[in-house]
């Protein structure tokens, strides 16, 4: 079945009538003229009176601005760094959209990327998948420029198809045939991260049947003072461990055990209780309600303080819950 012309080239009226977030991916190629593919899409938006925001590296932003000269309302914004922790990137993009959204019934068009060559592909996949969840209600079209693809690197094309419901091609915007739900992708990434190899070694700190949170904090501060973390990073790590441990005590089943591994490159804390592992990899990527005094913000705070947070059954039988917090020291 071939797609109709309306599907390939949605009219301005169709775009305005669409509700919520429209996530479009495009993989760059070395021999491609970016403005030939991207320019028509953005010109169509500008012709409909819809603002365009470009938040790309300087070289890419300059090309797009020149191509759109005189076409309409184009704004430049800081490049949204994809090498930051996913919660920080997600929050920055959401804030940018909220600042720039026209608020008059029109949609905002945001162009981001590409990320740097040294970015972690697994982190990029998480961010792109989570955008579909975190921004679901925002009236915005986001065009993510990805790559460029290389023979030696990860399969950027496959990642783009899996994380973007829509793809920008030479024929226009088409639906991705391989798009996967964010929670499905995140579960797959999470399964690949556990168990952590550090767990095969002797922990730096081990506390079984935790019954004194203040004693835990003192022990953590003592151990982390000699770690590769800066004072601020160590304080953030203690905060994350404290939040997750408090959550295990309140919502899990005791006893609660805490194990910490410290190496010059990375630190891992595994917190285990005897309850049921929560099976929602999307939880904690946005504040539960925005009122810090009410509570219920623990996972959101923890995710913002570490490089990785995963929750899985504690053993193969499915009994217990282990939450692993990882901080990269480099």
């Amino acid at each position: 079945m071939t797609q109709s012309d309306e599907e390939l080239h949605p009219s301005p009226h169709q775009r305005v009538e669409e509700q919520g977030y429209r996530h479009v991916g495009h993989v760059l190629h070395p021999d491609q003229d970016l403005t030939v593919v991207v320019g028509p899409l953005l010109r169509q938006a500008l012709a409909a009176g819809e603002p365009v925001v470009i938040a790309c590296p300087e070289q890419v932003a300059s090309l797009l601005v020149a191509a759109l000269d005189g076409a309409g309302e184009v704004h430049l914004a800081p490049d949204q760094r994809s090498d930051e922790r996913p919660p920080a990137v997600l929050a920055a993009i959401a804030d940018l959209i909220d600042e720039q959204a026209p608020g008059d019934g029109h949609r905002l068009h945001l162009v981001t990327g590409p990320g740097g060559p040294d970015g972690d592909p697994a982190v990029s996949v998480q961010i792109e998948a989570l955008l579909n969840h975190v921004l679901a209600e925002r009236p915005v079209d986001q065009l993510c420029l990805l790559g460029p693809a290389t023979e030696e690197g990860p399969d950027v094309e496959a990642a783009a198809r899996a994380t973007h419901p829509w793809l920008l091609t030479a024929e226009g915007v088409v639906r991705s045939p391989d798009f996967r739900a964010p929670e499905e992708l995140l579960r797959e990434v999470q399964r690949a991260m556990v168990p952590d190899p550090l767990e095969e070694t002797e922990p730096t700190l081990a506390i079984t049947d935790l019954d004194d949170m203040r004693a835990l904090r003192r022990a953590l501060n003592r151990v982390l003072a000699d770690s590769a973390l800066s004072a601020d990073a160590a304080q953030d790590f203690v905060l994350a461990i404290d939040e997750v441990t408090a959550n295990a005590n309140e919502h899990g089943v005791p006893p609660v055990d805490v194990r910490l591994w410290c190496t010059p490159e990375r630190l891992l804390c595994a917190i285990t209780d005897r309850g049921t592992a929560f099976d929602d990899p999307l939880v904690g990527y946005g504040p539960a309600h925005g009122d810090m005094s009410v509570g219920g913000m623990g996972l959101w705070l923890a995710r913002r303080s570490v490089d990785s947070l995963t929750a899985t059954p504690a053993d193969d039988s499915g009994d217990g819950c282990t939450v692993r917090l990882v901080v990269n020291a480099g």
Side-chain angles (χ1 to χ4, degrees), residues 8-325:
L8 291 171
H9 303 280
S11 70
H13 174 73
Q14 285 175 300
R15 293 198 311 272
V16 172
E17 289 300 316
E18 286 177 357
Q19 299 298 311
Y21 181 58
R22 189 168 184 256
H23 195 194
V24 183
H26 176 69
V27 177
L28 301 173
H29 294 275
D31 58 348
Q32 179 187 75
D33 184 344
L34 174 66
T35 61
V36 170
V37 179
V38 176
L41 182 72
L42 300 182
R43 284 182 173 274
Q44 186 182 28
L46 292 169
E50 298 173 347
V52 169
V53 175
I54 299 173
C56 298
E58 183 177 356
Q59 183 177 8
V60 173
S62 298
L63 285 173
L64 293 176
V65 168
L68 298 173
D69 184 36
E73 185 182 358
V74 178
H75 302 276
L76 286 176
D79 178 23
Q80 303 302 302
R81 291 173 57 92
S82 60
D83 56 349
E84 301 282 356
R85 290 169 175 162
V89 176
L90 296 168
I93 293 177
D95 288 345
L96 175 61
I97 291 171
D98 291 343
E99 291 170 5
Q100 298 286 345
D104 58 1
H106 285 80
R107 296 177 65 81
L108 176 70
H109 292 256
L110 172 65
V111 186
T112 58
D118 299 326
D120 184 341
V123 173
S124 297
V125 166
Q126 290 180 67
I127 291 172
E128 294 296 339
L130 284 162
L131 285 169
N132 297 295
H133 167 67
V134 174
L135 303 180
E137 303 302 321
R138 301 283 204 297
V140 58
D141 284 28
Q142 181 178 355
L143 172 61
C144 297
L145 303 178
L146 309 167
T150 62
E151 292 184 2
E152 301 80 15
D155 192 339
V156 182
E157 296 276 3
R161 293 193 301 269
T163 55
H164 295 79
W166 299 85
L167 301 172
L168 176 61
T169 70
E171 290 74 35
V173 176
V174 300
R175 289 191 181 275
S176 171
D178 301 320
F179 175 69
R180 296 170 63 189
E183 58 270 28
E184 179 187 341
L185 272 177
L186 291 176
R187 285 192 185 97
E188 184 175 289
V189 171
Q190 184 168 293
R191 284 195 298 268
M193 298 170 68
V194 297
D196 192 291
L198 282 179
E199 295 177 74
E200 299 297 324
T201 66
E202 191 71 19
T204 308
L205 173 68
I207 299 176
T208 58
D209 198 0
L210 176 68
D211 61 0
D212 188 335
M213 293 292 293
R214 286 177 295 183
L216 171 63
R217 296 184 199 106
R218 290 194 296 269
L220 290 171
N221 284 320
R222 184 173 61 252
V223 170
L224 294 178
D226 296 325
S227 75
L229 295 183
S230 67
D232 287 343
Q235 185 177 12
D236 287 344
F237 197 24
V238 172
L239 169 64
I241 295 170
D242 186 75
E243 292 289 347
V244 172
T245 306
N247 193 64
N249 276 317
E250 182 176 355
H251 302 291
V253 177
V256 175
D257 301 332
V258 179
R259 293 170 296 155
L260 175 70
W261 289 263
C262 300
T263 73
E265 295 78 26
R266 54 199 294 271
L267 296 91
L268 163 69
C269 184
I271 300 159
T272 300
D273 70 79
R274 278 35 177 196
T276 302
F278 56 89
D279 187 35
D280 185 358
L282 302 177
V283 69
Y285 279 104
H289 40 66
D291 187 346
M292 298 292 290
S293 65
V294 174
M297 308 279 278
L299 280 177
W300 178 73
L301 289 169
R303 286 198 189 278
R304 293 176 67 87
S305 302
V306 299
D307 290 298
S308 170
L309 186 157
T310 60
T312 60
D315 56 40
D316 292 338
S317 68
D319 293 333
C321 175
T322 296
V323 177
R324 293 171 175 86
L325 305 172

